[in-house]
Amino acid sequence: MITLDTIARGVNSIVSGAAMIPDGQRRRIAAADRTHDAETIDATDTDAIVQAALFGSLVYG
């Protein structure tokens, strides 16, 4: 089950650099996290967040 804690774990993994994703994508997610504004997050970013939370890195895509 995906919860708010799951999403937070994924965002933290990406922002900290633990999950390897493209730098531009990391910057978008970090900016959205910093400003508490997900307007710039797209479906690819949300997929990366969920994968980082569940698998620790991007497995698909």
Side-chain angles (χ1 to χ4, degrees):
M1 175 166 57
I2 297 174
T3 65
L4 288 176
D5 288 336
T6 308
I7 301 304
R9 186 172 57 246
V11 169
N12 290 334
S13 178
I14 289 170
V15 171
S16 72
M20 302 305 294
I21 68 168
D23 287 333
Q25 191 174 30
R26 182 184 318 282
R27 284 191 298 271
R28 273 194 313 277
I29 293 169
D33 182 49
R34 216 177 20 259
T35 61
H36 304 285
D37 182 4
E39 185 174 306
T40 60
I41 300 291
D42 64 15
T44 303
D45 297 332
T46 56
D47 178 58
I49 291 167
V50 171
Q51 287 191 55
L54 297 178
F55 308 122
S57 65
L58 296 184
V59 177
Y60 303 101

